[in-house]
Amino acid sequence: MNAMQSREIALGELENKTWDVVIIGGGITGAGILRESVRRGLNAVLVEQEDFSWGTSSRSTKMVHGGMRYLKQGNIGLTRESVIERENLIREIPGLVEDRTFIMPYYKGNVLQRLMLQTGLVVYNLLSGKWRKNRCSLSDMAKRAPLVKSNDLKGGFLINDAVTDDSRLVLRVLHEALKQGARAINYCKAETLLKNEHATCGVRVRDTVSGNDYNIQAKLVINATGAWADTLRQQIRKKNNKHIRPLRGSHIILSAKRLPLFDNISLMHPEDGRPVITLTWEGRILMGTTDIDHQDGLSTEASISKKEVKYLLDALNFQFPEAKITEKDVISTMAGIRPVIDTGKTDPSKESRDHVIWLEDGLLTVTGGKLTTFRVIALDTLDKAQKILGNLPDLKQMQNVFDEKVDWNTNHFRHLPDNSVKRLFGRYGNRAKELIGLSSDQNLQTIPDTETLWAEIEWAATNEMVVHLDDLMLRRTRIGLLLENGGTEYLPKIRQLCQKILGWTDQTWEEEENRYLNIWKNHYSLPN
Ligand code: FAD
């Protein structure tokens, strides 16, 4: 049975019963709620209009972090909550969430700011319960970030956080839920809320692959559509007057050869003093983010603008003047939309990033928040869901997110390097054994200049509900972001590996290639 056939089976089950919960939105928020629902014995199904993690959850800065900025705003509660979640995830899924140091260079002058930052760092580290070194010397800086601007440089502050692959995190959480009996269907769009005389009682969805419609009856409908949350809310009768302010955050991805960094750098943008991050990720440099009102509407995929590219390059060239980075060094770009609650602040960056939960006319909307705190958001949502579903067990008890105990002994994995084995177990849990075991020696090689194995492509095509080629290139693996021209060079080999598994004719393959390259050109490369 290929991935598409198992999708058909899940679609066939949609109308057979009344579900306890239907969750709309397959980003980290929806995935987290699905996981915590099924764990409490609820019959739960999730529908996603595009691909899993297609929205903001594949386009974040990839940090699993406490958020020094919340501390600066005096929000100790949110910082503490995030730091605890960060530590849990580092412990539970090594290889997918990895602790990393961020250096903030500091320069001559501004003693007060330096003192404040140092005090903040002490508090930040204390909140995680670990004592960590929080300064590095000039000579250390030269080793860790050789090209950093050296005029008047005094040293660097060290901030400890973690880095992940956001899209794979969503898939790992989804898999955990599916294992316990939940259902999740991609390319299945919620069109119309179903209502009885009292409240919302289900949703009409469209399978966008076949065009078929299904009525899903459910005790509770959860709207976890992030920046799109207001679209569904428009259909309800009694709603509050709050609404979403979609803010765009864009990134550029560069070759690490052009900007050698051994640690991540957090810097202040010279134009507006906003913090911007330069992160080493998957052997590349990920740089972002911008934070501006998204004026382009939500019906098309977001893209970076020329102005944002310039803003990010200006910050890079300010902090690393000798590197002389230009647009030619940009391999790819990505733009995500952050749902924040509109309070009318002039500066978008001043709007709160907390999550909100509203129960309106039987529709439970949850939006905002962070990737890092997805489990906290899920439990908070289920707490509110009790109004409709009755008491649910263990909501106050923080269990592990992942029940699966990952069990590996690096000696047994066909001479793959330890870091590769760890990476695979982080991404696939214990299924990594099967992934490695079933693969030919040839497919256990990495795709040139990446850490991704050919075997991962084959695995995803077989097991991970790939509907379109872009699912495979941009979210199951990230090679479309990491390779020049979206990895066009390797498409013939990927075709050899996957066309038969996916059950695509030659014509379908060609259509899929065109679709992927169009998406890449319009939304993941530099603007024309
Ligand atoms: P999304 O991931 O957007 O998911 C919502 C989904 O709903 C979408 O996939 C969409 O297609 C789907 N949908 C919409 N309408 C329908 C419908 N009618 N039917 C079915 N499906 C529908 N957080 C961190 O912790 N660390 C970071 O480093 C970080 N960096 C960020 C950088 C940027 C630029 C941005 C914008 C955010 C960042 N965040 C970060 C925040 C974090 O990424 C988001 O909070 C999180 O991804 C939101 O997840 P979500 O599931 O709520 O929304």
Side-chain angles (χ1 to χ4, degrees):
M1 184 167 62
N2 69 27
M4 280 304 275
Q5 286 163 330
S6 56
R7 188 174 171 278
E8 290 301 316
I9 292 170
L11 281 163
E13 289 175 3
L14 286 181
E15 292 188 322
N16 288 350
K17 59 179 165 195
T18 298
W19 297 80
D20 292 321
V21 190
V22 53
I23 299 155
I24 307 170
I28 192 69
T29 306
I33 299 169
L34 187 73
R35 196 273 172 279
E36 295 300 332
S37 300
V38 72
R39 177 180 239 179
R40 284 166 182 81
L42 298 174
N43 264 318
V45 57
L46 176 149
V47 291
E48 161 58 48
Q49 65 177 356
E50 300 280 339
D51 186 27
F52 303 123
S53 83
W54 174 87
T56 312
S57 300
S58 57
R59 305 154 198 255
S60 78
T61 310
K62 329 274 178 240
M63 287 174 71
V64 174
H65 62 150
M68 278 290 285
R69 52 175 291 170
Y70 308 119
L71 201 57
K72 201 171 150 205
Q73 291 159 355
N75 199 338
I76 292 193
L78 182 59
T79 314
R80 188 176 141 68
E81 190 174 82
S82 312
V83 164
I84 292 172
E85 287 307 283
R86 180 193 71 196
E87 294 300 309
N88 287 337
L89 290 169
I90 293 173
R91 196 187 60 248
E92 284 189 38
I93 41 172
L96 182 54
V97 177
E98 294 272 296
D99 55 355
R100 290 277 181 274
T101 307
F102 290 75
I103 305 179
M104 187 182 273
Y106 65 87
Y107 293 85
K108 196 170 150 193
N110 218 337
V111 180
L112 185 64
Q113 200 186 24
R114 203 186 310 162
L115 274 175
M116 278 168 58
L117 192 63
Q118 201 170 352
T119 316
L121 271 175
V122 172
V123 178
Y124 196 57
N125 286 336
L126 283 177
L127 287 174
S128 72
K130 287 185 185 161
W131 178 251
R132 286 161 158 143
K133 191 175 155 205
N134 59 25
R135 293 270 281 270
C136 77
S137 64
L138 264 182
S139 57
D140 223 8
M141 277 289 297
K143 282 187 221 137
R144 289 167 175 239
L147 293 182
V148 103
K149 180 167 72 110
S150 56
N151 264 5
D152 292 335
L153 183 65
K154 289 287 179 199
F157 287 112
L158 302 177
I159 307 170
N160 294 286
D161 269 316
V163 174
T164 190
D165 177 335
D166 44 7
S167 202
R168 290 297 332 175
L169 181 64
V170 173
L171 287 164
R172 186 80 209 267
V173 177
L174 276 178
H175 178 69
E176 198 78 7
L178 299 186
K179 250 185 2 189
Q180 275 189 276
R183 294 280 178 264
I185 306 173
N186 52 355
Y187 295 97
C188 186
K189 181 173 183 188
E191 298 275 3
T192 317
L193 296 174
L194 306 176
K195 292 169 201 161
N196 58 26
E197 63 277 24
H198 309 296
T200 309
C201 63
V203 62
R204 186 166 183 78
V205 298
R206 173 158 302 167
D207 166 10
T208 60
V209 179
S210 67
N212 293 338
D213 287 350
Y214 301 84
N215 280 347
I216 312 178
Q217 305 289 341
K219 291 181 195 154
L220 177 64
V221 180
I222 300 183
N223 173 15
T225 55
W228 291 263
D230 280 349
T231 315
L232 282 174
R233 288 178 71 230
Q234 273 161 14
Q235 295 183 26
I236 54 183
R237 293 165 286 209
K238 281 179 259 152
K239 55 178 179 283
N240 67 45
N241 57 8
K242 307 231 169 69
H243 60 98
I244 308 289
R245 177 175 182 180
L247 299 180
R248 186 168 71 236
S250 300
H251 295 86
I252 52 178
I253 295 175
L254 310 154
S255 159
K257 289 178 195 125
R258 287 289 287 113
L259 188 60
L261 284 179
F262 302 97
D263 272 313
N264 308 303
I265 302 287
S266 174
L267 59 113
M268 296 299 173
H269 198 287
E271 199 179 284
D272 54 15
R274 278 190 57 251
V276 195
I277 302 286
T278 308
L279 197 97
T280 58
W281 182 70
E282 295 281 311
R284 304 289 181 279
I285 302 294
L286 173 72
M287 155 81 182
T289 165
T290 56
D291 197 18
I292 56 171
D293 281 302
H294 180 67
Q295 314 278 14
D296 304 347
L298 293 168
S299 55
T300 50
E301 198 164 348
S303 315
I304 195 170
S305 67
K306 280 188 174 178
K307 207 170 156 192
E308 287 173 284
V309 175
K310 180 174 180 313
Y311 176 90
L312 294 176
L313 289 178
D314 283 352
L316 272 180
N317 286 316
F318 167 80
Q319 191 62 71
F320 307 98
E322 284 171 40
K324 298 194 172 33
I325 303 289
T326 70
E327 285 193 4
K328 288 202 181 99
D329 301 310
V330 176
I331 300 172
S332 63
T333 67
M334 61 180 175
I337 310 295
R338 200 189 286 273
V340 302
I341 310 312
D342 194 357
T343 61
K345 294 208 165 57
T346 318
D347 179 356
S349 297
K350 296 247 156 67
E351 297 279 18
S352 162
R353 269 105 230 262
D354 273 353
H355 67 278
V356 293
I357 303 174
W358 300 316
L359 181 59
E360 302 158 304
D361 209 10
L363 178 72
L364 192 65
T365 294
V366 48
T367 185
K370 299 201 295 175
L371 194 76
T372 310
T373 46
F374 70 88
R375 185 250 300 260
V376 176
I377 298 174
L379 292 178
D380 215 3
T381 309
L382 290 183
D383 187 29
K384 303 286 183 308
Q386 294 183 109
K387 270 202 168 144
I388 291 183
L389 298 174
N391 285 350
L392 297 172
D394 301 333
L395 285 180
K396 299 286 170 220
Q397 193 189 334
M398 284 291 189
Q399 298 156 295
N400 281 354
V401 180
F402 301 93
D403 283 337
E404 187 177 78
K405 293 271 166 296
V406 171
D407 158 33
W408 83 78
N409 171 348
T410 48
N411 295 330
H412 294 159
F413 292 108
R414 298 178 57 187
H415 310 296
L416 280 172
D418 286 1
N419 60 346
S420 197
V421 174
K422 189 177 175 196
R423 189 177 173 281
L424 291 174
F425 275 89
R427 279 163 175 71
Y428 304 94
N430 283 323
R431 288 174 307 157
K433 284 181 210 162
E434 207 182 320
L435 186 156
I436 299 167
L438 291 175
S439 180
S440 65
D441 283 346
Q442 219 179 5
N443 287 345
L444 288 181
Q445 310 281 324
T446 51
I447 299 173
D449 205 19
T450 75
E451 292 162 20
T452 309
L453 305 183
W454 291 108
E456 290 180 73
I457 301 257
E458 207 178 6
W459 174 267
T462 314
N463 298 290
E464 296 195 320
M465 282 200 219
V466 168
V467 174
H468 291 293
L469 186 57
D470 42 292
D471 306 343
L472 197 56
M473 302 295 285
L474 295 169
R475 290 170 291 276
R476 301 300 179 282
T477 73
R478 314 312 291 267
I479 55 176
L481 295 172
L482 304 175
L483 297 169
E484 295 287 344
N485 299 315
T488 319
E489 186 187 342
Y490 297 106
L491 287 176
K493 165 116 194 228
I494 294 171
R495 179 177 189 166
Q496 246 179 23
L497 274 179
C498 303
Q499 182 174 341
K500 198 162 158 217
I501 299 174
L502 291 165
W504 292 351
T505 61
D506 286 346
Q507 190 191 340
T508 312
W509 183 274
E510 274 139 36
E511 284 165 8
E512 285 293 334
E513 259 195 38
N514 285 338
R515 173 191 148 103
Y516 165 61
L517 293 173
N518 256 325
I519 292 174
W520 189 85
K521 202 167 103 209
N522 292 321
H523 308 289
Y524 292 91
S525 69
L526 285 169
N528 285 330

